[in-house]
Amino acid sequence: MIQSGLHCLLLMDRITFDALLLAWFGAIENGLSAFVAFMGTTMTMETIGREGPGWLDVGDDKVNLFSMGRHKLCRKSACAAGPVSLNKRALEAVGDETDASRWLGTLLASQDKVFGTAADALTALNEDLVADWDRSGMARPVFIDDRLAASAMARHLEHDGSLLSRLLIEPARRHRLEHALQEAASGPFGRFLPNATDYFWGIREQRVRKLELKDGHLIEPDRPQGLSIPFERLQLRQALLDGVLLPNLFLMFLVLAILPRVRVVGGLRQIGYVALFHSILLAVLDENVPEERDLAAELQVRENAWGMRVIDEKTSVREQLAGLPEGALLPDLLRQYRLRTFAQTTDDLKLVRENARWRKIGKAAIKAT
């Protein structure tokens, strides 16, 4: 099972914490000793005012987690920003003002470490927090991010006969893929389809860049001096290995979940776009190739999209930590949630009912019937 869709944030963030909590519950109930947590790292360190991977919400205020200037936070992406170290002085100041004993010590244990990137730091800190919240080790998260997807994609591109090599590099197959992508985008669920970049993101000067496939090259639109990578198998593979390219969401889901047939748990949008990813792949598979025909048959039998963000907990992570036994946060929450109904846990699925995209699709479906 892969928990996906988490932004690269510290688990003190309530939405990120609730997402991990649901995946942890699922792993426990299914008797799993571990689960994989995918952390998206392509966002900038500050996404909007004092929000994003570079900020830690401590209740009444927010801490600049890595002591980076605001201009850098807005211009550098989590997967490439670095090296970084924790803002020790600001974190210690938080300890003087709030009841932070349940989490601050875990963070400050890494105060002298220098991390290669912000993503490396957040992964290490999140691993430490979960280990402290469940000292019995009932189910461990294995944190991965876009960079593992890049390595997996590079493995697919080692051979010209692999499915993804054929779909991306053979002109006729790529034309068919692009047509399927356009058809999906124009359909009723098209608003869920992430299409901000062509197949891959580029990384230059510690920031993720939108790319466009033009004249056989991946280029940065309107930036003549930006990245320019030949859209050929070996060149793409090397750029992935060199950390210059990251797969877009479609390719990432293909290599980490859909092709290996791993079940994923993700956000409200994922319920829409993973189904689209399945339909796109089905539309481009060749029924005359035995392995592609077998894959098509399996994709039609078992869907691979599950929704998340159903826990609607209003209490902050900091307040939950303060009110629960030290070292047994997750097990104690498991006991509490087992006593609740699904409606109580989700506030009658308020997050789904009030989501603008799903409300519009629901109204369209009612009108059509």
Side-chain angles (χ1 to χ4, degrees):
M1 177 177 68
I2 291 182
Q3 167 195 310
S4 72
L6 289 181
H7 291 310
C8 192
L9 296 170
L10 201 61
L11 289 174
M12 295 299 298
D13 170 75
R14 185 184 62 81
I15 293 174
T16 305
F17 177 78
D18 288 348
L20 180 126
L21 188 62
L22 184 62
W24 186 86
F25 287 166
I28 294 297
E29 299 293 1
N30 285 280
L32 304 178
S33 60
F35 61 97
V36 177
F38 176 82
M39 309 284 281
T41 63
T42 55
M43 75 291 296
T44 53
M45 296 294 291
E46 178 171 308
T47 51
I48 56 176
R50 292 163 63 86
E51 296 280 351
W55 293 96
L56 174 62
D57 191 339
V58 294
D60 297 330
D61 198 7
K62 294 182 180 180
V63 170
N64 187 325
L65 190 57
F66 302 114
S67 192
M68 295 175 63
R70 295 285 299 277
H71 66 290
K72 290 184 178 180
L73 288 171
C74 295
R75 295 177 61 84
K76 296 182 183 296
S77 301
C79 61
V84 299
S85 56
L86 287 176
N87 188 349
K88 175 184 175 182
R89 181 177 299 178
L91 287 171
E92 289 178 335
V94 170
D96 294 336
E97 300 172 5
T98 66
D99 180 13
S101 61
R102 298 293 178 83
W103 56 270
L104 183 58
T106 303
L107 299 189
L108 288 177
S110 297
Q111 62 184 332
D112 297 324
K113 293 182 180 178
V114 177
F115 300 93
T117 67
D120 295 330
L122 291 166
T123 294
L125 296 172
N126 282 330
E127 289 173 345
D128 291 343
L129 286 171
V130 175
D132 191 53
W133 292 341
D134 172 28
R135 294 179 187 171
S136 64
M138 295 174 67
R140 292 295 195 203
V142 179
F143 291 100
I144 63 173
D145 60 42
D146 315 73
R147 295 169 297 178
L148 180 65
S151 298
M153 188 75 206
R155 292 290 298 273
H156 282 271
L157 295 177
E158 283 182 3
H159 310 288
D160 57 10
S162 71
L163 174 61
L164 289 183
S165 289
R166 295 196 299 269
L167 292 181
L168 292 177
I169 305 304
E170 294 179 9
R173 298 299 297 271
R174 187 167 75 242
H175 176 76
R176 188 173 173 180
L177 174 59
E178 290 172 351
H179 178 74
L181 288 165
Q182 292 169 3
E183 286 286 304
S186 62
F189 285 84
R191 65 183 57 249
F192 288 94
L193 190 65
N195 56 1
T197 191
D198 287 350
Y199 299 112
F200 298 93
W201 295 100
I203 298 178
R204 180 174 59 80
E205 296 179 351
Q206 297 191 343
R207 183 169 183 173
V208 169
R209 312 283 177 167
K210 172 183 177 179
L211 298 179
E212 177 181 299
L213 179 55
K214 186 175 182 181
D215 297 329
H217 284 72
L218 285 172
I219 62 171
E220 295 181 52
D222 306 319
R223 290 181 180 270
Q225 305 305 317
L227 293 172
S228 178
I229 299 171
F231 203 83
E232 299 176 9
R233 181 176 62 86
L234 295 180
Q235 284 83 348
L236 292 175
R237 177 179 178 273
Q238 193 59 51
L240 287 163
L241 294 175
D242 292 341
V244 179
L245 290 181
L246 292 175
N248 71 351
L249 200 61
F250 172 61
L251 292 178
M252 187 275 291
F253 266 88
L254 286 187
V255 298
L256 293 184
I258 296 175
L259 292 177
R261 311 308 296 136
V262 176
R263 177 162 293 165
V264 291
V265 180
L268 293 175
R269 289 185 63 201
Q270 183 183 296
I271 308 171
Y273 65 65
V274 174
L276 283 179
F277 292 165
H278 274 79
S279 69
I280 292 165
L281 182 58
L282 279 169
V284 299
L285 292 176
D286 189 345
E287 291 288 329
N288 296 315
V289 178
E291 59 267 27
E292 293 190 35
R293 183 171 61 247
D294 293 343
L295 175 59
E298 186 175 355
L299 287 171
Q300 290 170 321
V301 169
R302 183 160 64 91
E303 187 60 51
N304 192 18
W306 285 77
M308 202 163 61
R309 284 290 311 280
V310 294
I311 290 180
D312 192 37
E313 184 60 64
K314 299 298 189 294
T315 307
S316 72
V317 180
R318 181 171 52 85
E319 292 170 313
Q320 292 182 67
L321 288 171
L324 293 170
E326 187 173 357
L329 169 66
L330 297 185
D332 201 76
L333 286 175
L334 176 62
R335 288 189 289 271
Q336 291 186 26
Y337 277 104
R338 278 176 168 167
L339 298 175
R340 300 185 190 182
T341 66
F342 183 75
Q344 289 171 335
T345 301
T346 66
D347 193 13
D348 288 321
L349 283 176
K350 180 180 178 181
L351 287 170
V352 179
R353 290 185 288 105
E354 296 189 358
N355 181 271
R357 289 184 175 89
W358 282 108
R359 288 180 65 182
K360 187 168 184 178
I361 288 176
K363 290 178 180 178
I366 293 172
K367 184 177 181 180
T369 56

